[in-house]
Amino acid sequence: MLRVMLVDDEALARQGLRAGLEDVPGIEVCGEAANMTQALQAIPALAPDALFLDIRMPRGDGFELLKQLPTHHPVVFVTAHSEYAVQAFEIEAVDYLLKPVRARRLADAVARLRRALGKEGDDPAYGQTDRICLRTPERTIVTSAADILLLEAEGDFTRVTVDGEQPLLICQTIGIFERTLPGPPLVRLDRSLMINLERVETIEVSPTRGARVTLRGLGHPVELGRAALRRLREAMPQVADDLAE
């Protein structure tokens, strides 16, 4: 889990950033501060892995805050001002986000933080029994890995099908889901598809096209190409002999 702290004098900006980070698995916002004085008091106690830091604030700016901290903290600057970018990267900022922050740029910044902290190969953010929050602008579903049936890539978005729910189109790549959801049971079979192996009911193999898989709780079969079928055989060795092409 990557623990971060938000430092920004605008409460609405902190609220929006916190909401955006809630959509990125494996992130915990461990604290907030509205100015340099509050941040200097809170950071040593909270010991965040990294900071999301505004630049222009009362009682000292973001650069001054970093100078006064007793230890180094990786930082992502979040500001409405583009003119400080060169100065930010001179002090080796991990990223520089301009307000309003887009979801895709925020996810990229988190990925950079993981690389900078050597957390890129962390275990999945969720275990098989954890509650998983799937959020869109319209609605939120709290579920578990056992009830996620299918994930389908649609560009930078992923369509997630949960048992008993209408599919959710989430602004997150399928690659992020692959890294953060527990596998098994959720296994990626090709560039655009992940399925829940524990939900597989039948597999109809075609000698020319691949296979059709039915999943318990899903009202339509899933079409697999030949490469996806090979990965399915690897993921389900107990039935591999029955899935010969």
Side-chain angles (χ1 to χ4, degrees):
M1 183 70 70
L2 185 62
R3 300 174 70 255
V4 301
M5 183 171 174
L6 314 182
V7 184
D8 194 310
D9 63 301
E10 298 177 4
L12 286 177
R14 297 196 308 273
Q15 180 180 342
L17 189 56
R18 177 183 282 272
L21 288 169
E22 286 176 354
D23 291 331
V24 182
I27 293 289
E28 176 192 353
V29 177
C30 64
E32 299 182 12
N35 54 54
M36 188 172 75
T37 301
Q38 291 180 6
L40 287 172
Q41 293 173 346
I43 290 171
L46 295 173
D49 295 315
L51 306 176
F52 280 79
L53 177 61
D54 192 12
I55 293 179
R56 290 188 180 178
M57 295 182 296
R59 307 179 195 174
D61 64 22
F63 295 113
E64 182 62 28
L65 169 63
L66 294 176
K67 290 178 183 178
Q68 294 197 31
L69 288 174
T71 58
H72 170 74
H73 287 77
V75 61
V76 173
F77 283 107
V78 185
T79 177
H81 306 280
S82 61
E83 62 267 29
Y84 300 104
V86 172
Q87 186 178 354
F89 287 113
E90 284 177 347
I91 63 168
E92 299 183 347
V94 174
D95 209 339
Y96 192 94
L97 303 180
L98 289 175
K99 300 176 182 178
V101 180
R102 295 181 291 113
R104 181 60 186 171
R105 279 292 289 117
L106 186 58
D108 288 343
V110 171
R112 289 174 184 241
L113 270 178
R114 290 191 185 284
R115 289 194 292 271
L117 290 165
K119 292 179 175 284
E120 201 172 10
D122 278 358
D123 291 336
Y126 297 109
Q128 293 197 33
T129 60
D130 289 344
R131 306 306 290 170
I132 298 168
C133 185
L134 301 172
R135 181 179 286 106
T136 73
E138 292 76 30
R139 62 192 177 117
T140 298
I141 292 176
V142 179
T143 186
S144 65
D147 287 329
I148 298 176
L149 308 179
L150 182 70
L151 299 97
E152 301 165 284
E154 297 188 15
D156 288 337
F157 292 77
T158 303
R159 190 172 298 278
V160 182
T161 302
V162 176
D163 195 4
E165 302 284 351
Q166 292 296 313
L168 294 167
L169 187 62
I170 296 178
C171 183
Q172 185 167 286
T173 65
I174 197 169
I176 293 177
F177 278 114
E178 181 186 19
R179 292 194 296 272
T180 56
L181 293 178
L186 293 157
V187 173
R188 189 170 181 178
L189 298 181
D190 62 25
R191 292 179 60 190
S192 60
L193 179 68
M194 291 177 66
I195 69 168
N196 190 329
L197 296 180
E198 294 179 352
R199 292 288 188 136
V200 173
E201 288 193 323
T202 66
I203 306 169
E204 300 176 12
V205 178
S206 165
T208 57
R209 294 189 305 274
R212 287 162 58 94
V213 177
T214 59
L215 303 175
R216 178 167 45 86
L218 190 67
H220 59 84
V222 180
E223 302 286 343
L224 302 185
R226 296 170 69 86
L229 176 57
R230 286 194 293 273
R231 292 190 180 97
L232 181 61
R233 290 204 310 270
E234 294 169 359
M236 302 181 71
Q238 68 274 24
V239 297
D241 291 341
D242 298 328
L243 302 182
E245 297 178 69

